[in-house]
Amino acid sequence: NNWVSFHSDGAYVLYPMKCKTRQLERRADIITHLRLNGYQINENSLIDLSKYEKEQQFLEGTGSLVLDRINKIAYAALSERTDAALVETFVSVSGYRAVTFHAFSGGIDEGDVYPIYHTNVMMCIGDKFAVVCLESILNVQERGAVKATIESSGKEIVEISLDQLKQFAGNMLQLENVQNNSKVLVMSSSAFSSLDSLQKEKLLKWNQEILAAKIDTIETLGGGSARCCIAEIFCPFQASASRKTQTT
């Protein structure tokens, strides 16, 4: 989900990745495949930020940016992979407004404090709710600004702890079942197990189902979780244009 994002007006954005191996993830054939299968992706609306890799500036897609697509708000925890200037570049061309802050893996008195380089590790925005580890935002003013922005956008906050963050409880994604328009919240089994009954109750108020996948290997070796494995496609879909197949 880090090299590309898709948007409801048919635009798509390519992002600058810090690791050279991950820069190889950008694949034009995936964009072509989506077009051939009914997704209305507008080539003229491409926003290509990948050129900033040459300047050693990085903004790793919806890892760096947690997007409130309803209210056009981009939440970003600044780090070496989430450049402040590129956040401003993104909002200037996309129509979003930015809420930037600094988030850390531990509290002030803990020995393992280091910056959280991907915002989607500590935050998930759904249509009616937001899962967020406010405890990871050490600056009181920044924490208050994030909390106030979420509340003013009309979403219920489901707060998670640092311990739950480390079990990937912030790395969730709300999806829609197109067959019945129901909301499905995807997370890992470790994230689900870390939640208490009240948190699960709140999440099920806004989602018809929670899908928890056992992806321990990905979490242990890859450092990411369920949300990191999924790129949302918000581009318009035209069913009559889909099912174009190629034969050999």
Side-chain angles (χ1 to χ4, degrees), residues 43-68:
E43 187 64 39
N44 294 325
S45 296
L46 166 63
I47 301 171
D48 190 354
L49 303 179
S50 64
K51 61 186 178 183
Y52 288 99
E53 287 169 353
K54 296 179 182 178
E55 309 298 327
Q56 293 298 299
Q57 290 179 279
F58 309 106
L59 184 68
E60 298 192 331
T62 52
S64 293
L65 302 167
V66 172
L67 301 178
D68 179 346

Side-chain angles (χ1 to χ4, degrees), residues 12-191:
Y12 68 108
V13 185
L14 300 180
Y15 294 93
M17 306 289 291
K18 179 174 169 47
C19 296
K20 291 190 179 299
T21 52
R22 299 215 59 196
Q23 293 171 11
L24 301 175
E25 294 177 15
R26 284 193 298 270
R27 290 172 45 190
D29 63 300
I30 292 178
I31 307 300
T32 300
H33 175 79
L34 292 173
R35 282 203 186 96
L36 291 175
N37 285 274
Y39 290 96
Q40 307 301 294
I41 300 174
N42 186 353
E43 187 64 39
N44 294 325
S45 296
L46 166 63
I47 301 171
D48 190 354
L49 303 179
S50 64
K51 61 186 178 183
Y52 288 99
E53 287 169 353
K54 296 179 182 178
E55 309 298 327
Q56 293 298 299
Q57 290 179 279
F58 309 106
L59 184 68
E60 298 192 331
T62 52
S64 293
L65 302 167
V66 172
L67 301 178
D68 179 346
R69 294 177 183 262
I70 296 173
N71 297 290
K72 303 284 280 188
I73 303 169
Y75 295 90
L78 301 179
S79 71
E80 62 179 8
R81 301 193 188 195
T82 305
D83 183 85
L86 286 190
V87 173
E88 292 304 316
T89 299
F90 170 83
V91 300
S92 70
V93 297
S94 66
Y96 279 75
R97 67 181 178 95
V99 177
T100 59
F101 53 94
H102 300 80
F104 299 87
S105 67
I108 295 174
D109 297 327
E110 296 186 37
D112 64 342
V113 176
Y114 58 89
I116 292 172
Y117 61 80
H118 276 172
T119 314
N120 71 3
V121 171
M122 51 78 65
M123 189 178 203
C124 161
I125 296 289
D127 59 345
K128 303 289 187 182
F129 67 95
V131 176
V132 60
C133 182
L134 293 172
E135 184 183 356
S136 69
I137 307 174
L138 301 184
N139 182 282
V140 174
Q141 287 74 31
E142 291 183 345
R143 187 190 313 149
V146 170
K147 184 173 185 289
T149 303
I150 295 172
E151 291 175 337
S152 66
S153 70
K155 300 182 191 298
E156 179 180 12
I157 292 178
V158 181
E159 189 169 353
I160 58 171
S161 67
L162 280 169
D163 287 339
Q164 291 174 319
L165 178 153
K166 292 173 183 177
Q167 296 301 312
F168 297 98
N171 202 237
M172 307 175 182
L173 184 64
Q174 185 184 47
L175 302 177
E176 183 176 77
N177 184 333
V178 295
Q179 295 182 336
N180 58 17
N181 297 319
S182 65
K183 304 297 182 182
V184 179
L185 188 60
V186 178
M187 67 186 73
S188 71
S189 56
S190 59

